[in-house]
Amino acid sequence: MRRFKPIRKLLLVICSVFIVSTAFSQERTITGTITDGATDEPLAGATVVIQGTTTGATTDLDGNFQIQAKEGDFLVISFVGYLTETIAVGTESTVSMVLMPDLQALEEVVVIGYGTVKKEDATGSVAVVSSEDFNQGNITNAEQLMVGKTAGVVITSSGGAPTSGSTIRIRGGSSLRASNDPLIIVDGVPISNQDVSGNANIFSFVNPSDIETFTVLKDASATAIYGSRASNGVILITTKKGKAGSALKVNYTGNMSLSHAIEYADVYTGDELRQRANHYRDIYDPLVFNLLGTQNTDWQDEIFRTAYSHDHNLSVSGSANNLPYRASVGYTDQQGILKNTDMKRITATVALDPTFLNESLKVNVNAKFMHTKNNFGDAGAVGNAVAMDPTQPIKDGNDASDGYFQWENYGANLGTVNPVQQALETDNKSDVNRFVGNVQLDYSLPMLPELRAVLNVATDWSKGEGYNNRPTTSPTNLIAPLTNGSLNDYSNTNTNDLVDFYVNYAKDITADHNINVTAGYSWQHFAREGDSYTRQVIDSENPYREPTDSSEFKTENYLVSFFGRLNYSFMNRYLLTGTVRYDGSSRFAEDNRWGLFPSAAFAWKINEEAFMANVNVVSDLKLRLGWGITGQQDITDNDYPAQALYTESRIGSYYYHNGRYISTLRPDAYDPNIKWEETTTINAGLDYGFLNGRINGTVDVYQRETKDLLNEVTIPSGANFSNTIITNVGSLENKGIEFTVNAVAISKQDMSLDLGFNVTYNKTEITKLLISDDPNYIGILYGNAFTGFNQVTRVGESPYSFFVNEQVYDANDLPIEGLYVDRAGQGGEIAATNENKYIYNDPAPDYILGFNFRFAYKDFDLASSMRANIGNYVYNNVASGASFDQMQQIGYWRNMPKSLDNTMFVRRQFTSDYFVENASFLRMDYLSAGYNFNEIAGSKASLRLNFTINNVFTYTKYSGLDPEIGFSDGVPGVDNNQYPRPRTYTLGLSLTF
């Protein structure tokens, strides 16, 4: 047995080593503390993750954590706004780590008027939407990137057409007759709100893939530096640039999309219409009754299609010999879901940012070019597809109408035209070219580096040419006789030239005192000219007559400005900002030409105070107070409201004298004393952040009052002018609250979840409309003689409020035809007159909400954005025209929405409040999923694939197709069969070398 002792000893040693090594490889509890390297304070909410796993922990309020790990593991420690650190697990059971602030994140700047400012030092109400936050999917217009992302900003598209534009409102409108659009500035170039003919979207020249950030300036302290053009807020767009010292990078992004109509208007089929006609046969003309057809044509299905689109963008960026550069080209081909509508666009950009003289001279060169071919088709086919008789065929061999079925009297604006022929035979196209470019020189004096001089020279040129032609066989109600077609040609050229020059002085006077002063001069010239000619087509031998309508125009206006701003910081804790702008506009007479627009703001970084030193959970707490005045002179259709102008009479209205026709001149109304509209804004805001910015947001309360409101008023009879004149009269007020919160709910090495929410309350009220108060003044009415004047702008109410009769209902809660509440005290039968009408809600929502999230796990990500409007109302003009007597007219039949079954109206009741519906909604704008492939085949190339659904769902109680209604015929909130917004499926890829 003795000979086995060495073996036993060897086995004992082997077992001991195995036991020890196993013990060391087993998981054990690791505890530790994470501190802030800048303050030596515990860092609460930091994330500790075992590298390569999803196992992790979060530090408590004292910076402590506890995690199960084994020797050889690596702990990855991260926190928002701090540099990520990695530490190896050794034999110790206690570790500690110091995280240093990410200086780049702390130095994050936001673009403001004529410069930038640290985000933490901003004193005004400023919101930034950067490229990582943009909406995804089939995005062809720049403004779609930021829909729902910012409190106080409402973006409403005019419909689902590829050529459609959008209405943008920041904190509601501040004017009635002048523009309510915000000022758009792209890479330092202020863009005119008056777009060229043939183009419906002022953003279309900027390719969405070229945009880096949107910065929204909302209160007067942020916008007053732009003076006369900033009453409606400012949107600053910064495009992508090359970076100094970066290597060559080539990126291709492309996508393919499929779109379709979500649903159609619910109308009667051919069988159902024939059934209704037989049921109400006693009210119809027997001679017309026999005109009912035998078909079941779904006209909506015939004019809509599944649309296919594709978009491609190629960019090259980098830096060569201290010359950062970026160039890109893009091509978009987007079909509309309405047949014969589409848009094709080519864009090209160049951005160069060289430096000279030992970086004392910085040069920024930006050039953007766009060529767009628009095919507008005829959106009127959408409404006619709802109204067209479904018992008739699409074609009946009618040679006079190119084989299409047509009612004989359609050209007299009675019978509904064949929507298929209307859609397909309209030749309505335009070509638009636009160039926007600027050169900015930024020079720092070598002997005084704190002083910079900046010169910005820019031009914005656009030209639109188009036509809207209809052959003799095409349906049209624009001209007579019925056999005529029409030719319309138009062209328009706009130029916008800019020269800005300013100096900036920034100096740390002492450790506690810092100033930043800017003073400058701005000159801007706008020029527009164009023409339009319409001719009647007779036949091939006599192709056209003299123009039945022709017009030419040439107009210009100037803006000259002096501006200044002072930023003062005390102890990096108390911030003061003062701005002033002195604007001169050529639109006003000499005595009223100049306007002074000042602002002041104060900010207090509460979290920097000594009493907040031990409140570790609060990382940011800044109070902002602002006041300012901005102006308005953007009367969009009149550059000379203070001057006497004369209009030449049109053909057919000439004066006959001594055997020849002489044109006459009619004086236009003008007000020599017209002056600036002024908007005064008071804003109080609070910026907050918790857990070192992991939860952050803003709260703003504001009040805006516009006085000397530019409005169109009636001229007393007997004046040698037209009936109305634009002058300064009245005032309005906006009040609101904005709240934004963003949260990093999960922040681990391989997993993250970012959440965002914003809510806005805004109320606009007219406070004055006349020079002298008149209690009997009904207000400004909107509408027409056919449907009634069912909207009004009145003192004490919101603009464009619905002005209707109060419907009376029976015991079954069904509307009683023609019976309304007797508000005028007439007794007996109540007439649908203005005296009996009342204010019933308005189109503007009371509350606007936005929700968004982005979830990422390793290389996979999922993102979505939703919006909600609460308290917005819509006048359903599609349903208001539904009545049984309207199914048959003189010589033709027409279809109706099935909502007629709910009213059973024999005759139309346009003024009933029954048709003013609550159109509150919740809409998911997009849902996107993507996957990143890094270091493809061992190279530095990366690939991203993504799939997105746009317009995912809409929840609403509104009975029409879409509760989100923009402006139609100059008023908001009226549903007139708008071009439907489609649902779109997009497959995209991005390849980077």
Side-chain angles (χ1 to χ4, degrees):
M1 296 295 294
R2 185 170 300 199
R3 64 175 180 239
F4 293 109
K5 285 184 179 180
I7 298 176
R8 287 201 303 268
K9 290 181 179 180
L10 178 61
L11 291 175
L12 182 61
V13 170
I14 293 174
C15 291
S16 300
V17 171
F18 175 77
I19 292 172
V20 171
S21 62
T22 301
F24 275 107
S25 66
Q26 289 179 342
E27 288 187 347
R28 66 184 190 278
T29 300
I30 305 296
T31 60
T33 303
I34 309 299
T35 56
D36 185 333
T39 64
D40 291 328
E41 297 292 337
L43 200 57
T47 300
V48 182
V49 179
I50 299 176
Q51 191 176 61
T53 74
T54 58
T55 302
T58 303
T59 57
D60 59 21
L61 293 178
D62 296 321
N64 298 321
F65 72 92
Q66 182 175 296
I67 193 171
Q68 295 296 119
K70 61 181 180 294
E71 185 179 353
D73 284 342
F74 289 88
L75 301 182
V76 179
I77 305 168
S78 61
F79 196 82
V80 177
Y82 288 76
L83 298 173
T84 299
E85 298 288 350
T86 302
I87 184 173
V89 176
T91 58
E92 299 85 359
S93 297
T94 302
V95 298
S96 62
M97 175 58 67
V98 176
L99 290 189
M100 298 302 297
D102 186 344
L103 296 180
Q104 184 175 359
L106 290 178
E107 295 294 322
E108 181 182 356
V109 298
V110 295
V111 180
I112 57 174
Y114 306 103
T116 60
V117 66
K118 289 183 183 180
K119 187 176 181 180
E120 63 175 13
D121 292 340
T123 58
S125 182
V126 180
V128 179
V129 182
S130 55
S131 55
E132 58 265 25
D133 301 320
F134 288 165
N135 291 328
Q136 304 296 315
N138 186 28
I139 305 293
T140 57
N141 293 318
E143 76 278 7
Q144 298 171 350
L145 295 171
M146 58 179 296
V147 172
K149 297 294 186 179
T150 305
V153 180
V154 180
I155 302 175
T156 306
S157 66
S158 58
T163 56
S164 64
S166 298
T167 300
I168 304 176
R169 294 292 179 263
I170 299 176
R171 295 183 169 181
S174 63
S175 185
L176 285 179
R177 189 59 178 75
S179 172
N180 279 304
D181 298 326
L183 172 62
I184 309 298
I185 300 176
V186 182
D187 288 333
V189 183
I191 304 301
S192 172
N193 287 328
Q194 300 181 48
D195 210 349
V196 71
S197 299
N199 198 55
N201 193 313
I202 63 172
F203 285 98
S204 60
F205 75 96
V206 187
N207 192 317
S209 66
D210 290 327
I211 296 178
E212 183 69 33
T213 61
F214 291 90
T215 303
V216 183
L217 312 181
K218 295 188 283 189
D219 71 337
S221 66
T223 64
I225 193 72
Y226 291 108
S228 65
R229 301 186 60 192
S231 285
N232 303 304
V234 180
I235 298 178
L236 303 165
I237 298 177
T238 303
T239 59
K240 297 174 181 177
K241 315 288 183 185
K243 297 181 180 180
S246 61
L248 172 66
K249 183 170 73 172
V250 180
N251 174 260
Y252 165 78
T253 301
N255 63 65
M256 299 186 66
S257 302
L258 181 152
S259 304
H260 66 88
I262 299 175
E263 59 179 328
Y264 299 143
D266 192 12
V267 295
Y268 296 118
T269 65
D271 290 338
E272 290 169 335
L273 189 142
R274 284 183 286 268
Q275 182 182 9
R276 295 297 190 280
N278 278 294
H279 184 76
Y280 291 92
R281 191 170 189 139
D282 57 331
I283 69 172
Y284 297 133
D285 184 348
L287 296 178
V288 182
F289 198 89
N290 295 327
L291 296 177
L292 280 171
T294 60
Q295 303 294 315
N296 273 291
T297 303
D298 188 338
W299 293 103
Q300 295 180 91
D301 191 56
E302 296 294 336
I303 66 168
F304 290 112
R305 65 183 173 187
T306 298
Y308 299 92
S309 305
H310 53 99
D311 181 81
H312 310 273
N313 298 280
L314 179 66
S315 68
V316 178
S317 63
S319 181
N321 296 324
N322 203 32
L323 172 62
Y325 63 87
R326 185 180 186 273
S328 70
V329 292
Y331 177 73
T332 302
D333 186 344
Q334 186 179 19
Q335 281 188 344
I337 59 172
L338 175 65
K339 294 178 179 178
N340 197 24
T341 61
D342 56 74
M343 183 270 287
K344 296 179 176 65
R345 180 181 65 193
I346 297 173
T347 61
T349 68
V350 174
L352 304 175
D353 302 284
T355 59
F356 304 94
L357 306 177
N358 293 323
E359 299 189 355
S360 294
L361 176 62
K362 299 177 182 179
V363 180
N364 303 113
V365 179
N366 298 285
K368 302 173 183 64
F369 173 77
M370 173 205 73
H371 172 71
T372 304
K373 301 181 76 67
N374 296 305
N375 182 10
F376 299 102
D378 191 339
V382 177
N384 284 329
V386 173
M388 184 61 182
D389 179 3
T391 71
Q392 305 301 333
I394 299 172
K395 289 192 173 184
D396 64 351
N398 184 353
D399 292 337
S401 190
D402 205 18
Y404 289 93
F405 170 84
Q406 289 290 357
W407 295 111
E408 292 183 359
N409 60 345
Y410 72 82
N413 200 18
L414 293 175
T416 308
V417 301
N418 186 315
V420 176
Q421 186 181 17
Q422 182 181 12
L424 297 182
E425 293 200 349
T426 297
D427 191 13
N428 184 7
K429 298 181 175 70
S430 74
D431 287 341
V432 178
N433 293 293
R434 189 165 188 173
F435 172 81
V436 178
N438 70 307
V439 178
Q440 181 172 289
L441 307 177
D442 186 334
Y443 180 64
S444 298
L445 276 69
M447 71 293 294
L448 189 61
E450 298 89 355
L451 183 65
R452 298 166 45 237
V454 181
L455 174 66
N456 183 28
V457 180
T459 187
D460 176 8
W461 174 89
S462 57
K463 183 173 184 178
E465 296 179 314
Y467 54 84
N468 186 358
N469 298 337
R470 299 166 186 263
T472 57
T473 57
S474 177
T476 175
N477 54 26
L478 303 177
I479 57 175
L482 303 182
T483 56
N484 288 357
S486 67
L487 299 175
N488 169 255
D489 304 285
Y490 58 85
S491 65
N492 183 200
T493 301
N494 290 356
T495 58
N496 165 19
D497 297 320
L498 170 78
V499 177
D500 280 340
F501 177 75
Y502 63 93
V503 292
N504 174 261
Y505 180 78
K507 178 71 172 178
D508 292 327
I509 301 174
T510 67
D512 291 334
H513 300 273
N514 173 274
I515 62 170
N516 190 306
V517 183
T518 299
Y521 166 83
S522 179
W523 174 92
Q524 197 162 12
H525 173 235
F526 303 90
R528 296 165 290 275
E529 61 179 306
D531 54 60
S532 176
Y533 299 94
T534 300
R535 304 174 298 283
Q536 291 184 14
V537 178
I538 306 303
D539 52 48
S540 58
E541 296 181 359
N542 184 18
Y544 62 88
R545 295 178 176 177
E546 292 297 322
T548 57
D549 188 15
S550 63
S551 63
E552 297 181 6
F553 70 91
K554 187 173 184 179
T555 183
E556 65 178 348
N557 72 289
Y558 290 84
L559 282 173
V560 177
S561 309
F562 301 90
F563 58 87
R565 177 176 57 222
L566 169 64
N567 291 328
Y568 169 71
S569 172
F570 176 59
M571 299 178 64
N572 193 32
R573 191 177 307 166
Y574 310 105
L575 310 172
L576 289 173
T577 300
T579 67
V580 64
R581 184 162 179 132
Y582 192 48
D583 273 339
S585 172
S586 64
R587 285 189 167 118
F588 304 134
E590 186 173 354
D591 291 342
N592 295 318
R593 181 157 298 163
W594 292 89
L596 185 67
F597 306 105
S599 75
F602 167 74
W604 175 27
K605 296 182 181 179
I606 304 174
N607 60 296
E608 298 289 342
E609 295 289 352
F611 61 80
M612 295 290 292
N614 296 322
V615 187
N616 297 324
V617 70
V618 178
S619 53
D620 182 24
L621 192 62
K622 182 173 65 176
L623 174 67
R624 293 178 283 103
L625 300 174
W627 165 90
I629 299 175
T630 50
Q632 175 66 285
Q633 52 84 48
D634 199 359
I635 307 170
T636 55
D637 59 353
N638 191 349
D639 283 329
Y640 313 99
Q643 300 181 38
L645 300 178
Y646 296 86
T647 300
E648 184 179 2
S649 59
R650 294 186 176 185
I651 300 173
S653 300
Y654 287 175
Y655 175 70
Y656 186 76
H657 179 68
N658 291 337
R660 63 192 183 99
Y661 290 96
I662 303 173
S663 62
T664 60
L665 296 177
R666 175 178 58 83
D668 294 334
Y670 73 99
D671 178 6
N673 297 315
I674 193 170
K675 59 182 180 180
W676 299 89
E677 203 174 74
E678 289 189 355
T679 299
T680 302
T681 303
I682 300 173
N683 190 96
L686 186 70
D687 299 335
Y688 63 88
F690 302 103
L691 301 176
N692 285 337
R694 192 158 179 170
I695 299 174
N696 65 84
T698 62
V699 181
D700 279 275
V701 180
Y702 62 87
Q703 177 180 352
R704 298 196 306 171
E705 182 178 3
T706 302
K707 66 177 184 178
D708 293 327
L709 201 65
L710 291 169
N711 193 24
E712 196 168 26
V713 299
T714 302
I715 298 176
S717 59
N720 190 28
F721 291 130
S722 55
N723 295 329
T724 60
I725 187 174
I726 300 174
T727 187
N728 297 96
V729 56
S731 58
L732 63 78
E733 184 180 72
N734 276 299
K735 294 180 180 180
I737 302 174
E738 299 169 352
F739 173 74
T740 300
V741 60
N742 301 294
V744 182
I746 300 174
S747 178
K748 296 184 177 182
Q749 182 183 15
D750 292 330
M751 184 185 300
S752 65
L753 175 62
D754 298 330
L755 303 174
F757 170 73
N758 64 78
V759 59
T760 303
Y761 167 80
N762 183 80
K763 181 66 175 179
T764 304
E765 180 181 331
I766 303 296
T767 53
K768 187 178 181 181
L769 276 179
L770 299 176
I771 297 176
S772 58
D773 295 334
D774 180 0
N776 297 318
Y777 178 53
I778 196 171
I780 305 171
L781 296 174
Y782 309 93
N784 56 61
F786 181 68
T787 60
F789 294 86
N790 296 327
Q791 285 177 279
V792 66
T793 294
R794 175 187 288 180
V795 173
E797 304 291 346
S798 297
Y800 307 105
S801 294
F802 296 109
F803 190 49
V804 286
N805 292 109
E806 185 176 0
Q807 181 69 57
V808 176
Y809 296 83
D810 63 17
N812 296 318
D813 204 27
L814 296 175
I816 302 174
E817 183 171 349
L819 187 59
Y820 305 108
V821 173
D822 183 9
R823 290 180 169 268
Q826 296 172 331
E829 184 176 350
I830 307 303
T833 61
N834 287 338
E835 288 75 18
N836 275 317
K837 290 182 179 179
Y838 76 114
I839 301 292
Y840 181 58
N841 296 303
D842 64 88
D846 297 322
Y847 299 93
I848 305 162
L849 294 83
F851 317 83
N852 60 82
F853 79 86
R854 185 181 186 277
F855 171 77
Y857 176 69
K858 293 186 176 180
D859 293 319
F860 170 80
D861 57 80
L862 183 70
S864 181
S865 179
M866 293 189 293
R867 290 178 295 126
N869 279 15
I870 300 175
N872 58 302
Y873 281 74
V874 166
Y875 178 80
N876 191 340
N877 202 34
V878 180
S880 67
S883 63
F884 288 111
D885 70 326
Q886 286 297 305
M887 279 188 170
Q888 186 199 80
Q889 292 292 295
I890 302 173
Y892 73 97
W893 288 85
R894 69 191 302 265
N895 206 351
M896 291 287 161
K898 285 186 178 180
S899 58
L900 178 57
D901 291 343
N902 300 324
T903 64
M904 306 301 288
F905 287 162
V906 174
R907 290 178 173 80
R908 291 174 295 185
Q909 305 295 317
F910 285 118
T911 66
S912 173
D913 64 3
Y914 177 83
F915 299 109
V916 179
E917 300 185 42
N918 189 330
S920 301
F921 66 85
L922 171 65
R923 166 169 282 158
M924 178 178 282
D925 285 317
Y926 78 91
L927 179 63
S928 180
Y931 193 86
N932 298 307
F933 298 88
N934 299 312
E935 298 183 357
I936 300 175
S939 69
K940 293 183 178 181
S942 62
L943 173 67
R944 173 177 171 80
L945 297 177
N946 64 283
F947 177 73
T948 305
I949 306 175
N950 291 97
N951 200 5
V952 183
F953 69 81
T954 302
Y955 174 76
T956 182
K957 293 184 178 180
Y958 176 61
S959 65
L961 281 184
D962 195 326
E964 193 171 8
I965 304 296
F967 275 75
S968 176
D969 297 327
V971 295
V974 179
D975 189 350
N976 284 318
N977 285 307
Q978 71 176 358
Y979 193 123
R981 296 180 179 90
R983 178 169 294 145
T984 303
Y985 305 88
T986 303
L987 181 63
L989 67 88
S990 179
L991 181 62
T992 301
F993 298 93

